[in-house]
Amino acid sequence: MRYVVFAFFLLFNISVNAQSSYLFKPDRVFDGTVMHANWWVLVRDSQIVAAGDPATIQVPEKVTVIDLKGMTLMPGLIEGHSHLFLHPYNETSWNDQVLTESGAERTARAVVHARATLMAGFTTARDLGTEGAMYDDAGLKEAINKGIIPGPRLIVATRAIVATGSYGPKGYNGDIPLGAEEADGTDGLTKAIRSQIGHGADVIKLYADYRWGLNKTPAPTFTATELKLAVEVAGSSGRYVVVHSGTEEGMRRAIEAGVRTIEHGDGGTPELFRLMKEKGIALCPTLTATESIASYKGWRKGIDQETVAIKQKHKIFNDAMKAGVTICMGGDVGVFAHGDNSREMLLMVEYGMKPIDVLHAATAVNASVFGLPLLGNIRAGYVADLIAVKGDPVADIAVVKLVSMVMQNGVIVLDITR
């Protein structure tokens, strides 16, 4: 049996002298869209050079052959919604994480979380806000890219942006750290977006609504004009805007503004999902976060009746599918444990999506929506991010938890196949 191998010197911006070739022989290959039986996949250095019927592949003389009997070879999974600087709220409340955990502790935790994410087969992740840890996700990304620590390829949002007075922590005297950056209006939003870009943000995240209405009910924050401005300012640098939204009006404004993805989407209606489909806006439903928060409050899955929030998740998820909305895979991991990312995939199937479509969402769909043109697929010329799982995930989606091999950028970082 071969165990974890940490060889992170082969990243996008680092070259090596020796060339390496691998020939994978699994029972089946999921290429990002279709499942194929009896395919081989050939990798040279950091690139997939061939994938298909064995008779079509020219095997070089010097190649490491890896037999994956009984296994499925897939593209590296892509996490759509994570917070590497958070850990489950039943361990420490969100308020206490933001207010009492030192920067050093939060970074140390993020390093551990990054490794757990990669070992779970997620070779890429969107990190959508440090929740009070300032711009440290940009530094974490750089450390991973330099090979200092293991972790997924990161798309980072740094601090995220909220309307003044809307976000937490709240209820404390004096100046306290906030979980995101406050900004309003033309000048304020423009400055905050450009500042976050300057600090390393790959994507701009805004909270289109939050629990700041009367009696702490969810209510919109930014106006439609402000959201449109954010899309324009971010877009001028080639970046897109993602919004947190859980209300009908917040979603309506975000759709009107032309954001790239809506996170959570609990206020979705058939009409809004129709508009999202028309405008090509994707939904990242974060099913696991909703169930996790309910469980922290005492809800017992399979024993207690579903909460109102969980029932609403079922409804919006199925309404979005019926409307043909592009659905991303992202669980809001950090609310629940890092390394358990694939739990979202199991829930997507439980909530009504076909397993093959869930695999598609977690690979090729996420790659396309997030602007990652050479990831999420097993094709010649694509980056060699590959994972092997025991069994057939189309027959049983739960086998995505049985990760036996992880390759990132052509380097095997986990191998327990033998």
Side-chain angles (χ1 to χ4, degrees):
M1 177 179 287
R2 290 192 291 178
Y3 292 90
V4 176
V5 179
F6 290 116
F8 291 92
F9 49 82
L10 189 55
L11 292 160
F12 280 134
N13 58 343
I14 300 176
S15 62
V16 293
N17 293 324
Q19 292 188 343
S20 56
S21 295
Y22 293 93
L23 180 66
F24 294 98
K25 298 181 178 180
D27 277 14
R28 64 198 69 82
V29 172
F30 175 71
D31 67 4
T33 303
V34 178
M35 188 71 79
H36 304 272
N38 303 314
W39 265 29
W40 288 357
V41 176
L42 179 64
V43 169
R44 183 179 301 116
D45 299 330
S46 62
Q47 189 176 77
I48 298 168
V49 295
D53 187 281
T56 67
I57 297 178
Q58 294 183 350
V59 181
E61 290 185 8
K62 294 183 178 180
V63 65
T64 300
V65 177
I66 299 182
D67 286 306
L68 299 171
K69 189 170 180 57
M71 300 185 193
T72 302
L73 191 70
M74 301 166 47
L77 300 173
I78 300 172
E79 171 61 61
H81 190 133
S82 65
H83 296 279
L84 289 166
F85 287 82
L86 291 177
H87 57 103
Y89 299 170
N90 62 333
E91 297 175 359
T92 306
S93 71
W94 182 87
N95 275 7
D96 284 348
Q97 290 184 50
V98 175
L99 293 174
T100 68
E101 291 181 352
S102 69
E105 178 183 344
R106 297 195 71 188
T107 297
R109 288 183 181 274
V111 169
V112 173
H113 298 158
R115 179 188 179 278
T117 301
L118 181 61
M119 294 302 112
F122 289 80
T123 57
T124 303
R126 278 199 316 178
D127 195 72
L128 295 183
T130 60
E131 304 292 339
M134 298 298 286
Y135 309 103
D136 287 352
D137 55 352
L140 184 73
K141 171 187 172 179
E142 189 68 15
I144 292 170
N145 287 349
K146 289 179 177 179
I148 298 169
I149 59 170
R153 180 184 300 97
L154 290 180
I155 302 167
V156 301
T158 68
R159 299 176 67 187
I161 300 172
V162 294
T164 298
S166 64
Y167 208 54
K170 287 187 174 184
Y172 300 87
N173 292 323
D175 294 330
I176 59 170
L178 291 178
E181 181 175 4
E182 293 184 323
D184 313 282
T186 301
D187 293 343
L189 276 170
T190 300
K191 183 176 181 179
I193 291 167
R194 289 175 177 163
S195 173
Q196 292 196 8
I197 290 171
H199 283 91
D202 302 307
V203 59
I204 299 300
K205 180 185 179 183
L206 288 91
Y207 283 74
D209 43 49
Y210 207 67
R211 298 182 298 275
W212 75 324
L214 292 174
N215 300 315
K216 298 182 179 179
T217 56
T221 52
F222 294 110
T223 66
T225 300
E226 288 174 314
L227 291 172
K228 287 178 182 177
L229 171 74
V231 170
E232 181 182 3
V233 174
S236 68
S237 69
R239 290 167 173 82
Y240 64 85
V241 170
V242 48
V243 299
H244 163 116
S245 184
T247 69
E248 182 175 347
E249 180 59 24
M251 286 183 66
R252 188 179 304 278
R253 295 178 189 181
I255 294 165
E256 183 182 346
V259 303
R260 179 71 64 86
T261 67
I262 291 178
E263 310 300 304
H264 314 301
D266 296 340
T269 65
E271 178 205 0
L272 291 179
F273 289 130
R274 176 181 60 80
L275 292 173
M276 287 179 67
K277 168 65 174 176
E278 290 176 359
K279 298 192 72 168
I281 297 171
L283 173 70
C284 195
T286 64
L287 309 176
T288 309
T290 299
E291 289 206 0
S292 296
I293 290 170
S295 72
Y296 302 156
K297 295 177 181 179
W299 175 72
R300 297 165 299 173
K301 187 178 179 72
I303 299 175
D304 298 329
Q305 289 187 345
E306 291 182 341
T307 67
V308 172
I310 292 171
K311 288 179 180 178
Q312 180 65 5
K313 276 293 187 191
H314 276 279
K315 184 178 187 305
I316 67 103
F317 188 69
N318 281 276
D319 283 349
M321 285 196 294
K322 289 176 184 176
V325 172
T326 298
I327 296 179
C328 298
M329 198 297 296
D332 205 354
V333 60
V335 175
F336 61 102
H338 299 275
D340 196 19
N341 306 61
S342 57
R343 182 175 161 194
E344 180 77 4
M345 300 173 71
L346 275 62
L347 281 186
M348 291 171 79
V349 172
E350 182 183 320
Y351 279 44
M353 184 177 275
K354 295 178 181 178
I356 193 76
D357 293 332
V358 173
L359 298 177
H360 186 49
T363 54
V365 170
N366 274 4
S368 176
V369 173
F370 303 159
L372 305 168
L374 294 178
L375 293 171
N377 295 272
I378 297 180
R379 299 179 188 170
Y382 276 63
V383 174
D385 275 22
L386 303 168
I387 69 168
V389 299
K390 295 180 180 178
D392 180 358
V394 171
D396 179 9
I397 191 64
V399 305
V400 295
K401 288 183 169 292
L402 305 178
V403 177
S404 295
M405 189 278 299
V406 177
M407 169 177 276
Q408 185 185 43
N409 294 316
V411 175
I412 295 175
V413 297
L414 171 71
D415 187 354
I416 53 173
T417 60
R418 290 181 277 181

